[in-house]
Amino acid sequence: MAAKKGAESSPLTFDLKADLIAVLDKYQKQLGVSKSEIIRHAIAGFDYAGFAPAAEDHRQISVRLPLDQKKDLVKLAKGKKVSIGELLRAALEKLPTVPAKSGIEKAAPKPKAAKKAAKKAAKKAAKKAPAKKAAKKAAKKAAPKKAAKKVAKKAAKKVAKKAATKAAKKAAPKKAAKKAAPKKAAAKKAAPKKAAKKVAKKAAKKVAKKAPAKKAAKKVAKKKKK
């Protein structure tokens, strides 16, 4: 049985022959799994009881193994008086030549649909971007025109108010003059009457003053006649 992917793991580095590296690459291409997964499966299915070490040229690779599986390899290596790499090479050599027959579960394919959807969304966004920019530019251009219209309206209202106040000021003296005109005419008419009254009063006073003198003269004349 292959080790579970969720188990705790530890890194392990060892040398492999070029032909075994080619086997790992073949498994990876066909099954889409990591080298670590292939190594774990090979170790789990290999019988180390009849293993006999052999010295050959090799190169180094690095994989991750569950802690328990790594401990077992270390014990085996000590018992067989060989390297861990030698144990791993022996396990890899026993893998089937056809990766599909190894029993390793094929990795799930990458979601192409999601990539296509993302590309389509990006294209749509790219197409809409110029329209949005044009709308923003139009809005910016329209903003000064609206502001100018508001300023013009305010200026027109101010001018209208000023004109109205000026007209009201000019009209006020005329109204006052119209109201005052009848009063002046009445005053002019009343003036001769007042003057006549004054003259009459003066004449009456003069006559009143002269009256005693006339009475005295009359009395003197009467006495002379007697």
Side-chain angles (χ1 to χ4, degrees), residues 2-3 5 10 12-44 59-66 69 88 91-92 95 104-105 107:
K5 292 181 181 179
S10 175
L12 178 67
T13 302
F14 55 94
D15 294 332
L16 280 180
K17 293 185 293 183
D19 57 344
L20 289 178
I21 294 293
V23 170
L24 289 174
D25 292 338
K26 183 179 179 181
Y27 268 69
Q28 278 190 302
K29 285 180 182 178
Q30 293 192 22
L31 300 178
V33 296
S34 67
K35 287 183 175 68
S36 297
E37 180 67 21
I38 300 165
I39 295 291
R40 287 195 292 267
H41 180 79
I43 293 169
R59 70 187 177 91
Q60 199 174 70
I61 67 166
S62 182
V63 297
R64 296 189 70 84
L65 298 177
Q69 197 174 42
L88 296 176
L92 286 171
L95 283 173
I104 300 173
E105 293 181 4

Side-chain angles (χ1 to χ4, degrees), residues 18-165:
D19 57 344
L20 289 178
I21 294 293
V23 170
L24 289 174
D25 292 338
K26 183 179 179 181
Y27 268 69
Q28 278 190 302
K29 285 180 182 178
Q30 293 192 22
L31 300 178
V33 296
S34 67
K35 287 183 175 68
S36 297
E37 180 67 21
I38 300 165
I39 295 291
R40 287 195 292 267
H41 180 79
I43 293 169
F46 185 72
D47 182 12
Y48 284 101
F51 168 70
E56 294 181 5
D57 293 334
H58 52 269
R59 70 187 177 91
Q60 199 174 70
I61 67 166
S62 182
V63 297
R64 296 189 70 84
L65 298 177
L67 293 177
D68 292 339
Q69 197 174 42
K70 186 177 179 180
K71 287 178 181 178
D72 292 340
L73 280 174
V74 172
K75 286 181 181 179
L76 280 171
K78 286 180 179 180
K80 298 285 184 180
K81 295 181 180 181
V82 294
S83 66
I84 293 173
E86 190 68 23
L87 297 176
L88 296 176
R89 286 191 290 272
L92 286 171
E93 286 173 350
K94 291 296 181 179
L95 283 173
T97 54
V98 180
K101 294 180 180 180
S102 65
I104 300 173
E105 293 181 4
K106 192 173 183 179
K110 293 180 180 179
K112 293 181 180 180
K115 288 184 178 179
K116 288 182 180 180
K119 285 182 180 179
K120 286 182 180 180
K123 286 181 180 179
K124 286 182 180 180
K127 288 179 180 179
K128 289 180 180 179
K132 288 182 179 179
K133 287 182 179 178
K136 286 181 179 179
K137 286 182 180 179
K140 286 180 180 179
K141 289 181 180 178
K145 291 182 180 180
K146 289 182 179 179
K149 285 182 180 180
K150 288 182 179 179
V151 172
K153 284 182 180 180
K154 287 181 179 179
K157 287 180 180 179
K158 285 182 180 179
V159 172
K161 284 181 180 180
K162 286 181 179 179
T165 52

